């Protein structure tokens, strides 16, 4: 179990580092065309940014309603395959589909983005900060001390229970 926790922490840390720097990702259009974009997460890990042809789209992670891996959701005209991840964005359920080079990259994207989005969503669903920096009610998620999502050393604390590891991980913001 300790090895799994170390591995999960490394995966999350690497993902954060890569996304903070900006990562080239391919968006799959409804007609099946792949369009190169540069995607990144802001320093607070609460906004996903997509840049294409000089245009910037910022998606607050709290607006991510879900991320589907592979051939879901069904019924789309977009030609999905196992290497796709489709992000559902509020308020109207707009979809953005990314296509990855391999399954591990897709799974890492889905796991990490949902982890961050769900952590932030829990913070907005009636939970309030206690003086010690922990949530007063519900969810069980805990962020770093001081009522902030980042501690003085630049680490984020996230629950990785959803990834099946049931422990807290600390991620360097780089």
């Amino acid at each position: 179990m300790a090895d799994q926790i170390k591995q999960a922490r490394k995966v999350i840390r690497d993902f954060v580092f890569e996304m903070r720097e900006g990562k080239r990702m391919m968006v799959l259009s409804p007609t099946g065309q792949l369009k190169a974009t540069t995607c990144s997460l802001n320093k607070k890990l609460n906004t996903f940014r997509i840049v294409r042809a000089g245009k910037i789209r910022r998606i607050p992670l709290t607006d991510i309603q879900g991320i589907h891996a592979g051939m879901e959701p069904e019924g789309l005209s977009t030609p999905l395959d196992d290497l796709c991840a489709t992000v559902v964005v509020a308020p109207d359920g707009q979809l953005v589909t990314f296509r990855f080079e391999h399954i591990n990259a897709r799974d890492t994207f889905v796991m990490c983005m949902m982890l961050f989005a769900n952590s932030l969503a829990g913070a907005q669903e009636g939970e309030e900060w206690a003086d010690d920096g922990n949530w007063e009610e519900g969810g069980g998620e805990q962020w770093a001390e001081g009522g902030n999502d980042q501690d003085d050393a630049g680490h984020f604390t996230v629950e990785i229970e959803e990834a099946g590891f049931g422990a807290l991980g600390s991620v360097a913001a780089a």
Side-chain angles (χ1 to χ4, degrees):
M1 182 65 130
D3 287 340
Q4 290 176 326
I5 292 170
K6 280 183 183 179
Q7 182 181 3
R9 286 179 179 164
K10 181 178 178 357
V11 167
I12 295 168
R13 185 179 309 113
D14 292 349
F15 178 80
V16 169
F17 179 76
E18 195 172 48
M19 292 302 289
R20 289 274 299 117
E21 295 292 316
K23 179 180 178 175
R24 182 174 178 205
M25 295 175 62
M26 303 303 285
V27 170
L28 184 63
S29 74
T31 62
Q33 289 183 316
L34 290 173
K35 300 178 187 257
T37 64
T38 300
C39 297
S40 61
L41 288 169
N42 69 342
K43 189 173 186 175
K44 291 185 175 186
L45 302 180
N46 62 8
T47 303
F48 181 55
R49 190 174 104 149
I50 305 170
V51 179
R52 175 159 161 43
K55 295 180 181 177
I56 301 172
R57 177 170 183 191
R58 288 178 180 84
I59 302 171
L61 294 189
T62 54
D63 284 356
I64 293 179
Q65 296 175 326
I67 302 178
H68 299 278
M71 308 276 273
E72 295 192 14
E74 294 179 5
L76 296 182
S77 61
T78 305
L80 302 175
D81 62 27
D82 288 336
L83 299 176
C84 293
T86 302
V87 179
V88 183
V89 182
D92 58 357
Q94 187 178 23
L95 304 175
V96 180
T97 298
F98 296 95
R99 189 165 191 282
F100 295 87
E101 293 179 11
H102 51 82
I103 295 287
N104 287 343
R106 182 208 66 191
D107 289 348
T108 298
F109 175 81
V110 171
M111 178 191 74
C112 290
M113 292 294 286
M114 286 305 302
L115 181 69
F116 298 143
N118 287 340
S119 293
L120 291 168
Q124 290 193 339
E125 291 176 2
E127 295 175 333
E128 297 179 10
W129 285 107
D131 290 337
D132 62 0
N134 293 322
W135 298 116
E136 285 188 341
E137 54 186 71
E141 285 110 324
Q142 296 177 332
W143 288 89
E145 59 189 88
N148 197 341
D149 59 353
Q150 183 175 7
D151 68 12
D152 294 333
H155 292 82
F156 294 90
T157 305
V158 295
E159 283 228 13
I160 52 177
E161 186 173 32
E162 291 178 29
F165 301 109
L168 292 177
S170 184
V171 180

